[in-house]
């Protein structure tokens, strides 16, 4: 079996100098780029407590789908919460039109937006604590009581973020009888379920019969995703450069 040749003294000196330059100069240059990019990303999240004066502005998103007109509506996003909803649902069985909205005292919190903002803030904090003087030395989901009027017992609604889109999904359900011959297979904690998915709600066993999904793009969230992608690419490039020296670490760790 071939074994790696240990670097010569000259090679080790050259590698050490290159690695020292990488840690002391290029790393800080990349971190400055990351700071600028992440600050731009943070400005897209106008959440309470994020340094913005007054409450977050309200944004209305019209929900639609090119594949169905069963569900139509408008959701109002304010920061990281849905403050208002106005949804119409056409029942496929009898074309009955149902209308429902959020109760005035209720909001639907979108934890995904809050989590993303928190991660950006944490990354900026860490970068601020690694200024030019720092010397790097090593390479090492909501209840039916939410709505008014209350949803029919055979409907469930979920609202969530998927990439840069605000999504609303309506599930039509039917109860499985205790003497049902169907093998009950509870669905996992997926955000989106398909027809035939089964789960328990209280003491009832239910099966999804129809799924209606509508969505709307959130422009500022799309911007934030672009900044996240660029930041990750910069980090990966820096990691790849440091990894070049991995064989050298086995001889002399920094």
């Amino acid at each position: 079996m071939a074994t790696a040749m240990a670097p010569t003294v000259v090679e080790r000196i050259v590698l050490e100098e290159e690695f020292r330059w990488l840690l002391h100069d290029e790393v800080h240059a990349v971190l400055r780029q990351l700071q600028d990019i992440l600050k731009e990303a943070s400005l897209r999240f106008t959440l309470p407590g994020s340094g913005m004066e007054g409450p977050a502005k309200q944004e209305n998103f019209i929900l639609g789908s090119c594949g169905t007109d069963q569900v139509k509506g408008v959701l109002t996003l304010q920061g990281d919460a849905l403050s208002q909803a106005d949804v119409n649902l056409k029942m496929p069985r009898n074309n009955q039109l149902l209308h429902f909205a959020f109760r005035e005292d209720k909001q639907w919190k979108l934890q995904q937006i809050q989590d993303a903002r928190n991660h950006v803030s944490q990354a900026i904090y860490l970068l601020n604590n690694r200024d030019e003087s720092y010397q790097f030395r090593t390479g090492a989901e909501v209840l039916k009581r939410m709505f008014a009027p209350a949803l029919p017992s055979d409907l469930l609604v979920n609202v969530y973020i998927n990439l840069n889109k605000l999504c609303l999904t309506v599930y039509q359900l039917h109860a499985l009888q205790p003497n049902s011959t169907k093998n009950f297979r509870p669905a996992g904690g997926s955000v989106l379920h398909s027809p035939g998915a089964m789960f328990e709600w209280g003491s009832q066993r239910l099966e999804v019969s129809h799924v209606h999904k509508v969505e709307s793009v959130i422009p500022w969230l799309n911007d934030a995703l672009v900044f996240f992608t660029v930041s990750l690419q910069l980090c990966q490039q820096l990691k790849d450069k440091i990894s070049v020296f991995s064989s050298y670490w086995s001889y002399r760790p920094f």
Side-chain angles (χ1 to χ4, degrees), residues 12-254:
R12 288 172 57 183
I13 293 173
V14 172
L15 284 169
E16 183 174 345
E17 288 302 316
E18 290 180 352
F19 191 45
R20 200 182 304 278
W21 173 84
L22 180 64
L23 292 179
H24 295 176
D25 295 278
E26 185 163 2
V27 167
H28 283 296
V30 173
L31 294 187
R32 287 195 299 270
Q33 285 183 274
L34 284 173
Q35 277 184 300
D36 293 340
I37 293 168
L38 291 176
K39 284 176 182 177
E40 284 295 322
S42 70
L43 295 176
R44 302 306 190 271
F45 294 87
T46 54
L47 307 185
S50 61
M52 306 296 292
E53 293 296 330
K57 69 175 182 179
Q58 292 187 340
E59 300 174 278
N60 293 326
F61 294 97
I62 300 174
L63 301 168
S65 171
C66 59
T68 179
D69 62 351
Q70 299 293 134
V71 183
K72 295 181 179 179
V74 177
L75 295 180
T76 301
L77 180 64
Q78 187 170 13
D80 62 342
L82 293 171
S83 57
Q84 298 175 37
D86 192 318
V87 182
N88 293 309
L89 170 65
K90 185 188 295 184
M91 304 294 284
R93 294 190 298 269
N94 51 18
N95 283 333
Q96 177 187 4
L97 188 64
L98 299 180
H99 173 264
F100 51 89
F102 286 172
R103 279 175 38 177
E104 292 185 0
D105 60 335
K106 294 290 186 180
Q107 288 191 335
W108 190 304
K109 203 77 170 175
L110 291 169
Q111 192 63 40
Q112 292 157 294
I113 293 179
Q114 181 67 66
D115 289 345
R117 177 65 175 85
N118 289 342
H119 287 312
V120 172
S121 297
Q122 185 179 24
I124 292 174
Y125 172 80
L126 292 173
L127 290 170
N128 287 338
N129 283 274
R130 295 294 185 269
D131 59 18
E132 297 287 349
S133 63
Y134 185 85
Q135 296 296 312
F136 290 91
R137 302 185 184 278
T138 65
E141 136 208 337
V142 174
L143 298 176
K144 289 173 176 284
R145 289 191 299 273
M146 179 78 193
F147 295 97
L151 294 179
S153 59
D154 61 346
L155 288 183
L156 278 180
V157 171
N158 191 23
V159 184
Y160 57 94
I161 298 292
N162 181 28
L163 298 176
N164 64 334
K165 296 177 181 178
L166 177 61
C167 305
L168 181 144
T169 304
V170 179
Y171 297 101
Q172 288 183 251
L173 313 168
H174 69 264
L176 293 173
Q177 301 302 317
N179 59 353
S180 173
T181 58
K182 284 192 174 182
N183 182 25
F184 182 70
R185 304 179 305 279
S190 173
V191 171
L192 182 62
H193 296 285
S194 302
M198 304 175 184
F199 53 92
E200 289 184 303
W201 183 270
S203 59
Q204 270 194 313
R205 290 185 168 183
L206 305 167
E207 182 178 18
V208 177
S209 58
H210 295 84
V211 179
H212 312 289
K213 178 185 173 185
V214 287
E215 58 190 28
S216 182
V217 171
I218 304 177
W220 60 263
L221 190 54
N222 185 67
D223 293 343
L225 287 172
V226 172
F227 290 126
F228 292 164
T229 301
V230 174
S231 298
L232 287 171
Q233 288 173 342
L234 279 173
C235 290
Q236 185 62 53
Q237 289 168 2
L238 184 59
K239 179 183 176 183
D240 291 343
K241 290 179 180 179
I242 292 175
S243 296
V244 169
F245 296 88
S246 59
S247 60
Y248 180 48
W249 296 338
S250 62
Y251 301 105
R252 177 170 176 169
F254 284 90

